[in-house]
Amino acid sequence: MQSTTAALWIVATPIGNLGDFSDRARRTLNDVALIAAEDTRHSARLTRHLGIDTPMMSLHEHNEGARIDTIVERLAAGDSVALISDAGTPLISDPGYALVGAVRAAGYAVLAVPGACAAIAALSIAGLPSDRFVFEGFLPSKATARRSRLAELADESRTLIVYESSHRIERCVRDMGEVLGAGRRIGLCRELTKLHEQSVLLEAEALAGWLAEDDNRRRGEFVLVVEGAPEASRERGEIDLDALLGELLALTGTKQAAKAAARLTGRATNEIYARALELAAAD
């Protein structure tokens, strides 16, 4: 280990209300020799508000690799450095992973000043199980890749946390309904800690409709907290599904039968629809 007391501080910043900034975080940013920020223009507003004049450099996804040597050199000179993102906890769907790894490899301490994290804040208010959860970050932006990833997650029994942008939120929720099941519950948290904060817990199909009703509901930054697949549904055999689909197909069309079966079993709609087509063709 290096003998220096210099350290890299990972400092969480508010995700909305600047009043959420802790005294410890304020002191840390004031005391370090350099702040590495995802967007210096954005972070400059924060430091001005706090009366902090610590020098700042940018560190984002496009230049992180080039900044590592500079920061390690500052640490070697005895300077401590703080890493902040635009909002929330650095490295959580934000830059910093490569830097932290390099600093640890160089033998310097990495210390946390914990605070806001949109994923955990959303989990705490969604009304879904919080004892076991999976953070997925941002799903793929392309529809085919997004649906493919959702299909891989369809049988995950733990609560799933996803970030999404305003221009994809409606399509993402509709894909969740189609792939995970129309009855899968989703907690949508929008603009957490900000003036227009809003959260609802609805089944996927109802949530898609809720978003479509008002343009304002599709604005801002989103966290989706998705109910895990029911354990019982994961244990169902094909015979149970075939029997259920047989009853439903006798009453309604293939698409409607698949949607109903998805709601009742918690299984992926596209999987059930494919099986329903096979059964309908067999008849």
Side-chain angles (χ1 to χ4, degrees):
M1 292 291 292
Q2 300 282 347
S3 60
T4 179
T5 58
L8 174 66
W9 293 85
I10 308 302
V11 181
T13 55
I15 55 179
N17 188 343
L18 292 180
D20 295 336
F21 205 75
S22 71
D23 288 339
R24 185 181 179 217
R26 186 195 307 261
R27 290 196 305 271
T28 300
L29 294 187
N30 188 66
D31 292 345
V32 296
L34 176 69
I35 298 172
E38 184 179 5
D39 184 333
T40 55
R41 292 169 300 179
H42 175 90
S43 296
R45 293 194 290 272
L46 172 66
T47 54
R48 282 197 301 269
H49 174 80
L50 298 172
I52 294 170
D53 59 4
T54 303
M56 192 180 301
M57 67 181 293
S58 66
L59 188 146
H60 48 71
E61 61 178 328
H62 302 297
N63 72 356
E64 182 175 356
R67 297 298 197 200
I68 289 174
D69 286 346
T70 299
I71 292 175
V72 172
E73 288 170 3
R74 294 296 296 266
L75 294 171
D79 292 335
S80 286
V81 178
L83 173 67
I84 61 176
S85 60
D86 287 350
T89 300
L91 279 76
I92 309 302
S93 283
D94 280 325
Y97 166 72
L99 173 63
V100 170
V103 168
R104 284 201 171 277
Y108 296 98
V110 181
L111 305 171
V113 181
C117 177
I120 301 303
L123 180 65
S124 71
I125 66 172
L128 292 171
S130 57
D131 54 335
R132 298 168 64 244
F133 59 92
V134 178
F135 177 64
E136 185 65 18
F138 285 93
L139 293 171
S141 59
K142 301 296 185 181
T144 300
R146 182 170 58 246
R147 291 173 67 89
S148 176
R149 181 57 185 155
L150 286 169
E152 293 172 357
L153 296 166
D155 288 333
E156 173 59 65
S157 62
R158 292 168 293 182
T159 299
L160 180 68
I161 303 175
V162 171
Y163 287 168
E164 193 51 274
S165 64
S166 58
H167 61 280
R168 289 197 301 266
I169 184 62
E170 190 172 8
R171 294 194 298 273
C172 179
V173 169
R174 291 192 183 281
D175 284 345
M176 286 181 172
E178 288 294 323
V179 177
L180 303 181
R184 189 75 69 93
R185 291 186 298 165
I186 301 174
L188 179 147
C189 301
R190 182 176 77 89
E191 293 290 86
L192 284 168
T193 80
K194 300 177 184 178
L195 178 62
H196 300 294
E197 176 176 343
Q198 192 172 27
S199 64
V200 294
L201 177 63
L202 296 169
E203 292 184 350
E205 190 170 48
L207 182 58
W210 181 86
L211 283 167
E213 289 174 0
D214 186 345
D215 289 345
N216 289 321
R217 294 174 180 173
R218 301 190 298 276
R219 293 174 178 164
E221 298 178 328
F222 295 84
V223 183
L224 298 174
V225 184
V226 185
E227 182 179 33
E231 292 284 356
S233 73
R234 302 172 74 220
E235 298 171 357
R236 290 179 184 273
E238 189 173 326
I239 295 177
D240 289 339
L241 178 59
D242 285 1
L244 174 61
L245 284 172
E247 294 293 330
L248 292 170
L249 286 169
L251 299 172
T252 187
T254 307
K255 187 174 182 180
Q256 291 74 17
K259 285 185 176 182
R263 284 195 296 270
L264 291 169
T265 65
R267 293 173 64 172
T269 302
N270 58 347
E271 172 194 346
I272 293 178
Y273 182 63
R275 184 58 184 158
L277 288 174
E278 292 175 357
L279 293 175
D283 289 342

